[in-house]
DNA sequence: GTATATGCAAACCGTTTGCATGGCT
DNA sequence: AGCCATGCAAACGGTTTGCATATAC
């Protein structure tokens, strides 16, 4: 599961943000970007993954680390559910699918989403971020 | 502040959803739709408004009532901030401005936002809601 | 009279924090 | 050595809930 390549990806990811490669950060980084794909996690979910992977990291550290990754620009917090925070390894504006049934968050293929123009922003303000969340429900048919 | 017209609007709003017009619900409904405009509130904010208006409603009842209004289809919850819930008297899909500085939530003029097409929804799922949140920051210039 | 709404205080739960210990450079 | 990260447990804050009382129908 934790191949040398995955480890290298995690290491580079941390180095890129000048974050000290501690055992915990390396473990979490590898879980997050080890396979080269984007990932959407909750703190609880990542904590569980770290346990399953055999590297246990305390929940508080998972929270602190996710915050550190966000502060460093490696991740972004995504607000889709009032009761949990989600964190995304992809840091540009892009639409999400949120499955309300099981709480899964995934990237929506952006190609087909087209925002022609944004509403005019009030005087004195600038756009920090545009979030598009497409909430899905299992079809009842 | 609480004109007969505002009261009538609140009363009709409740009747429309078959909700018993208790003193508390009437008070909150009037605060929410009394002036005929859409409103975006947090539970704390509405609770404060009810105190200022002279009709005190307990915080627990504000929460229960907002939930009841949402269940009845009179309002919609808007998820923009992980630490608070916002409630909107407008119940159709429409874009929001969220001022990160002061936590204010407003409707964004939808006319200029154009979503050409939505990404293809995964098999077996249907779109429950599409949220567009434009996060604004005060210009630093 | 009966079902439902309200209010209080306590429970809840995800997240943050204080502080002592341990690790990276 | 010095600074920063970690872990635990306690604190925190918004929200929900249990239960006794009050109100609408």
């Amino acid at each position: 599961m934790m191949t040398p390549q995955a480890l290298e990806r995690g290491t580079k990811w941390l180095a890129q943000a000048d974050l000290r490669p501690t055992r915990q950060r390396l473990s979490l980084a590898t879980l997050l970007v080890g396979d080269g794909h984007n990932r959407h996690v909750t703190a609880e979910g990542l904590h569980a993954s770290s346990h399953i992977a055999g590297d246990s990291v305390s929940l508080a550290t998972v929270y602190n680390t996710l915050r550190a990754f966000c502060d460093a620009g490696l991740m972004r917090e995504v607000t889709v559910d009032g009761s949990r925070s989600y964190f995304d390894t992809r840091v540009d504006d892009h639409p999400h699918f949120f499955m309300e049934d099981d709480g899964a968050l995934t990237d929506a293929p952006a190609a087909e989403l087209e925002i022609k123009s944004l509403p005019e922003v009030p005087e004195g303000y600038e756009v920090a971020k545009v979030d598009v969340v497409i909430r899905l429900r299992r079809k009842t048919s």
Side-chain angles (χ1 to χ4, degrees), chain A:
Chain A
M1 192 101 216
M2 168 122 155
T3 67
Q5 193 190 27
L7 184 61
E8 191 193 328
R9 281 206 179 100
T11 306
K12 280 190 179 168
W13 197 57
L14 291 180
Q16 170 190 339
D18 280 311
L19 289 171
R20 289 190 182 175
T22 66
R23 193 206 99 229
Q24 291 86 340
R25 285 178 180 173
L26 225 78
S27 167
L28 297 180
T30 302
L31 287 169
L32 288 168
V33 301
D35 67 357
H37 296 132
N38 295 313
R39 194 138 292 162
H40 303 82
V41 299
T42 60
E44 294 278 0
L46 185 57
H47 183 235
S49 298
S50 83
H51 259 103
I52 293 169
D55 300 311
S56 72
V57 179
S58 82
L59 186 54
T61 296
V62 171
Y63 275 108
N64 291 336
T65 303
L66 284 171
R67 281 267 106 81
F69 288 174
C70 286
D71 291 347
L74 293 176
M75 300 186 78
R76 248 165 105 156
E77 190 171 356
V78 187
T79 304
V80 287
D81 179 342
S83 65
R84 298 145 123 61
S85 289
Y86 283 78
F87 299 87
D88 189 350
T89 54
R90 190 172 151 186
V91 294
D92 62 320
D93 279 353
H94 63 284
H96 286 110
F97 283 138
F98 180 62
M99 320 291 184
E100 301 195 319
D101 305 290
D102 62 0
L105 183 69
T106 62
D107 287 338
E112 296 174 40
L113 176 87
E114 274 187 44
I115 295 182
K116 198 166 181 183
S117 62
L118 282 181
E120 196 181 337
V121 169
E123 189 59 31
Y125 285 88
E126 63 189 352
V127 174
K129 198 180 170 194
V130 178
D131 284 340
V132 176
V133 179
I134 302 161
R135 293 168 196 277
L136 303 180
R137 210 184 344 229
R138 214 168 266 129
K139 234 185 243 174
T140 52
S141 65

